[in-house]
Amino acid sequence: MLYVENLHKSYLIANTPVEVLKGVSFQLAEGEFVAVMGPSGSGKTTLLNCISCYIPMDSGDITLGGEHLAGLDEDALAKVRNQKLGFVFQDFMLLDGLTVRDNILLPRILSGGVDDMAETYADDLCRTFGIDHIKGKYPSDISGGERQRTAVARALINHPLLILADEPTGNLDSKSSRAVIGSFQRARKNLGATIFMVTHDSFAASFCDRVVLLKDGTVYDTLVNAGQRSAFHDRLLAAVKAMCGEDSDDTDL
């Protein structure tokens, strides 16, 4: 469903090109929940930004639902972002002046597509993610975990092919983090969602089907979850430790 092939991306820093992604390749099947982890500077955010069409790749190919993203003009890219991608950010990115329900409907509001079906689906999402009782409240009146579950529901309102989640548990306590991961699991089980998550949180990543480890702009390893979360968490911690080195400050990823 998502294919990333030999992806390269460089930035010009002080007139010197610095290569951040160095031939990254991987793929996601429909309905998978996959995380990418790596130390600071490994290229995680750049990878996410390339997939989301916010920055252009230098070379390589990204295919989403059979459509090649390279070479699309701005109008086509905007359509991909609005109709094929859903976004969940670390800082929630909810509008304080809108209720929970209206925040969920926002992508439909912006595209002029709010109809009875969209409103019914918004209510269904509220029930699915346990926020039906707060759908009339405003973001300032609810907890961080509730805000992030609202953001997950908003990401799904347009039935996207792929949800991109950028450190979705980064600002949450452990209880709220678990609730958000539970929301992703329900989205996948009940709605068939495909999720690609950038995270430093090894506990959150341990619920994924696979974890792609990035180091210095390349795929260092890919770990597959055999079904026992705690055992997978242990394997993940060991792999991160081996990747970062015994004395690295990033071994707590």
Side-chain angles (χ1 to χ4, degrees), residues 21 34-35 57-58 62 65 75 86 100 129 186 221 223 230 249:
L21 297 178
V34 176
M57 68 191 87
D58 293 342
I62 300 175
D75 288 342
V100 164
F129 298 126
R186 285 191 294 278
D221 199 2
L223 282 72
S230 60
D249 291 336

Side-chain angles (χ1 to χ4, degrees), residues 78-108:
K79 187 175 181 180
V80 168
R81 287 192 290 266
N82 185 259
Q83 297 181 2
K84 295 187 176 183
L85 296 172
F87 298 92
V88 180
F89 303 97
Q90 180 176 350
D91 295 324
F92 318 128
M93 303 296 284
L94 302 178
L95 296 185
D96 292 336
L98 297 181
T99 64
V100 164
R101 188 174 185 271
D102 284 344
N103 266 286
I104 293 169
L105 282 166
L106 185 60
R108 292 291 187 96

Side-chain angles (χ1 to χ4, degrees), residues 63-241:
T63 307
L64 177 62
E67 182 174 19
H68 296 274
L69 302 186
L72 294 181
D73 61 27
E74 280 303 317
D75 288 342
L77 290 175
K79 187 175 181 180
V80 168
R81 287 192 290 266
N82 185 259
Q83 297 181 2
K84 295 187 176 183
L85 296 172
F87 298 92
V88 180
F89 303 97
Q90 180 176 350
D91 295 324
F92 318 128
M93 303 296 284
L94 302 178
L95 296 185
D96 292 336
L98 297 181
T99 64
V100 164
R101 188 174 185 271
D102 284 344
N103 266 286
I104 293 169
L105 282 166
L106 185 60
R108 292 291 187 96
I109 294 171
L110 293 175
S111 62
V114 177
D115 52 19
D116 290 344
M117 187 176 295
E119 294 197 20
T120 298
Y121 188 45
D123 290 333
D124 289 343
L125 290 170
C126 286
R127 286 189 289 272
T128 296
F129 298 126
I131 52 176
D132 189 56
H133 64 293
I134 60 165
K135 64 183 180 182
K137 293 186 176 182
Y138 293 87
S140 60
D141 300 323
I142 63 178
S143 70
E146 290 168 335
R147 292 178 197 175
Q148 197 59 294
R149 280 181 278 159
T150 299
V152 174
R154 179 186 59 192
L156 288 160
I157 192 65
N158 275 341
H159 304 280
L161 292 178
L162 177 66
I163 292 178
L164 298 175
D166 186 8
E167 299 285 0
T169 62
N171 285 337
L172 302 176
D173 59 30
S174 58
K175 182 179 179 181
S176 296
S177 295
R178 182 63 183 87
V180 170
I181 295 301
S183 295
F184 284 134
Q185 291 177 309
R186 285 191 294 278
R188 183 176 64 163
K189 180 179 179 181
N190 299 338
L191 304 171
T194 305
I195 305 158
F196 184 62
M197 176 176 69
V198 168
T199 185
H200 281 91
D201 184 352
S202 60
F203 178 77
S206 70
F207 289 88
C208 294
D209 299 309
R210 288 183 290 125
V211 177
V212 178
L213 298 180
L214 282 187
K215 182 178 182 181
D216 298 329
T218 64
V219 175
Y220 173 84
D221 199 2
T222 300
L223 282 72
V224 178
N225 190 341
Q228 294 186 338
R229 192 207 62 79
S230 60
F232 185 54
H233 190 209
D234 290 342
R235 286 179 52 220
L236 182 56
L237 288 173
V240 168
K241 187 174 184 179

